[in-house]
């Protein structure tokens, strides 16, 4: 039962958020705020870790030394982002090992986009441009949210994502302005990534289950549809400039608001993919599990010497 003092604490907490104060790890917070943030940051950390796999697997095939160096640096950055985000989630009390085990046993989610194959080098260009571009839109918004450690981690991550976006755009421009074969490869990869990118921001607002509570407590300053719209406003003109053909034939601008109106993606496919039944879910998780198991000797050694990082 809610006591008066719980109510008073909740009132003071909400007043702080309304003032724009940041919530810090030792502060009082409602259990639901803690649970929601842990869920969200854990999923975000999982996504960075899983996001390193599709690009990581292309490192041996990168066309040339400079492309390879840039891709290696990007993949290392993504794993570093996972590290920062798991640390932010640990400040809420959940041990890292539990989060990793939930990831590899399939009980904690990660971004839909990393369950699709990267068939050609042009897919790597699309991940770097479209997906990093989407991540920047999301993270620039989320870093203004109410939880201090998450906001600070995102600020640092977004600096690095800006470099990833540049390398992705440079790859796309090279392909889109290259030979006929390169342009075809670019268009085919673009067709594959358009719909997963539309799904990246989550289901339409009317189907989103967490937005209301996340907005009430200042965690998610913009809704899924608002974030998707910001991405469309930024990217559609650039896509048109590059001469790429958008596979959504119904895409148009609302004459009154100027907003882009999209054909809704296949949301059944989205829910299948995020619940473990996408084209690459099993392979990606099997690889992550293998990496975890092969690293167990190192964790044991660190544990024996009491060198494993602890939650703050
Ligand atoms: N994928 O009620 P909502 C990156 C789930 S980082 C999978 O609307 P919410 C860097 C959602 O969890 C990419 N699941 O949820 C990189 C919930 O399921 P649950 C990750 C999704 O939280 C780039 C259910 O659907 N970024 O890419 C997705 O209000 C290139 C209902 O949804 C973040 O995680 C999805 N796309 O809004 C790395 C950012 N969307 O938990 C390598 C932080 C929704 O009840 C290469 N997260 N779901 O089982 C967020 O901003 C929010 O959590 C949203 C979803 C916007 C993703």
């Amino acid at each position: 039962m809610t006591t008066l003092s719980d109510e008073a604490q909740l009132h003071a907490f909400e007043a702080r958020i309304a003032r724009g104060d940041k919530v810090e790890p030792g502060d009082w917070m409602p259990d639901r705020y803690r649970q929601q943030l842990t869920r969200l940051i854990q999923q975000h950390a999982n996504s960075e870790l899983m996001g390193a796999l599709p690009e990581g697997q292309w490192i041996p095939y990168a066309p040339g030394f400079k492309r390879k160096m840039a891709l290696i640096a990007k993949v290392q950055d993504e794993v570093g982002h996972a590290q920062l985000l798991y640390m932010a989630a640990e400040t809420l009390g959940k041990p890292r090992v539990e989060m990793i085990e939930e990831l590899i046993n399939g009980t904690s989610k990660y971004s839909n986009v990393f369950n699709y194959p990267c068939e050609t080098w042009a897919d790597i260009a699309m991940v770097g441009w479209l997906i990093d571009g989407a991540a920047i839109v999301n993270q620039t918004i989320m870093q203004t949210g109410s939880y201090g450690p998450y906001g600070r981690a995102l600020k640092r991550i977004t600096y690095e994502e800006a470099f990833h976006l540049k390398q992705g755009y440079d790859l796309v421009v090279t392909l889109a302005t290259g030979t006929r074969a390169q342009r075809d490869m670019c268009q085919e990869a673009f067709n594959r990534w358009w719909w997963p990118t539309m799904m990246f921001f989550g289901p339409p607002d009317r189907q989103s289950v967490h937005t209301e509570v996340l907005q009430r407590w200042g965690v998610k300053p913009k809704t899924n549809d608002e974030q998707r719209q910001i991405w469309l406003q930024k990217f559609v003109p650039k896509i048109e400039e590059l001469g790429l053909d958008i596979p959504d034939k119904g895409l148009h601008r609302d004459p009154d608001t100027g907003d882009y109106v999209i054909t809704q993606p296949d949301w059944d496919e989205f829910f299948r993919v995020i619940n473990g039944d996408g084209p690459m879910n099993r392979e990606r998780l099997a690889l992550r599990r293998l990496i975890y198991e092969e690293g167990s000797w190192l964790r044991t050694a660190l544990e024996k010497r009491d060198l494993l990082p602890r939650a703050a």
Side-chain angles (χ1 to χ4, degrees), residues 39 43 109 112 132 138 200 202 208-210 220 224 274:
R39 173 194 70 84
Q43 285 183 10
K109 291 191 170 66
N112 68 306
D132 278 276
N138 169 270
F200 176 93
S208 168
V209 285
H210 302 297
K220 184 174 172 181
N224 300 355
I274 68 170

Side-chain angles (χ1 to χ4, degrees), residues 74-231:
K74 181 181 190 301
V75 169
Q76 281 180 339
D77 285 351
E78 305 299 1
V79 178
H81 298 170
Q83 166 80 350
L84 286 172
L85 290 164
Y86 283 124
M87 285 197 291
E90 280 178 309
T91 65
L92 293 155
K94 190 161 183 174
R96 167 111 39 134
V97 66
E98 223 177 278
M99 294 190 265
I100 301 285
E101 276 167 9
E102 286 177 2
L103 168 66
I104 60 180
N105 71 25
T107 53
S108 172
K109 291 191 170 66
Y110 59 93
S111 186
N112 68 306
V113 288
F114 303 121
N115 292 306
Y116 290 89
C118 283
E119 292 178 15
T120 67
W121 177 247
D123 292 73
I124 297 302
M126 293 303 156
V127 171
W129 188 41
L130 304 179
I131 305 302
D132 278 276
I136 290 174
V137 166
N138 169 270
Q139 287 161 190
T140 309
I141 293 165
M142 299 295 279
Q143 70 184 237
T144 64
S146 58
Y147 191 55
Y150 186 42
R152 289 190 288 274
L154 289 183
K155 206 166 168 193
R156 186 160 156 195
I157 290 170
T158 309
Y159 286 131
E160 293 183 352
E161 302 285 27
F163 158 75
H164 300 168
L165 179 68
K166 281 202 181 115
Q167 77 98 33
Y169 185 59
D170 189 62
L171 289 174
V172 174
V173 170
T174 303
L175 295 171
T177 58
T179 62
R180 179 66 197 260
Q182 284 175 313
R183 280 184 280 132
D184 288 349
M185 187 167 85
C186 190
Q187 180 66 55
E188 282 160 21
F190 181 72
N191 293 347
R192 283 193 285 278
W193 286 92
W194 173 263
W195 296 109
T197 306
M198 288 302 99
M199 297 171 185
F200 176 93
F201 298 99
D205 292 351
R206 62 178 187 283
Q207 275 177 270
S208 168
V209 285
H210 302 297
T211 298
E212 193 184 337
V213 69
L214 292 175
Q215 292 223 306
R216 171 177 167 198
W217 285 327
V219 175
K220 184 174 172 181
K222 291 202 186 294
T223 68
N224 300 355
D225 286 334
E226 286 168 343
Q227 295 187 33
R228 202 167 2 253
Q229 187 58 229
I230 294 171
W231 185 91

Side-chain angles (χ1 to χ4, degrees), residues 23-60:
V23 179
E24 297 299 335
D27 297 349
W28 183 90
M29 60 186 85
D31 288 345
R32 195 151 174 234
Y33 179 86
R34 189 183 296 279
Q35 285 155 9
Q36 275 288 342
L37 264 172
T38 307
R39 173 194 70 84
L40 187 140
I41 303 173
Q42 180 179 351
Q43 285 183 10
H44 192 165
N46 292 344
S47 304
E48 301 280 357
L49 197 59
M50 297 304 285
L53 297 180
E55 290 173 305
Q57 289 178 297
W58 266 92
I59 291 172

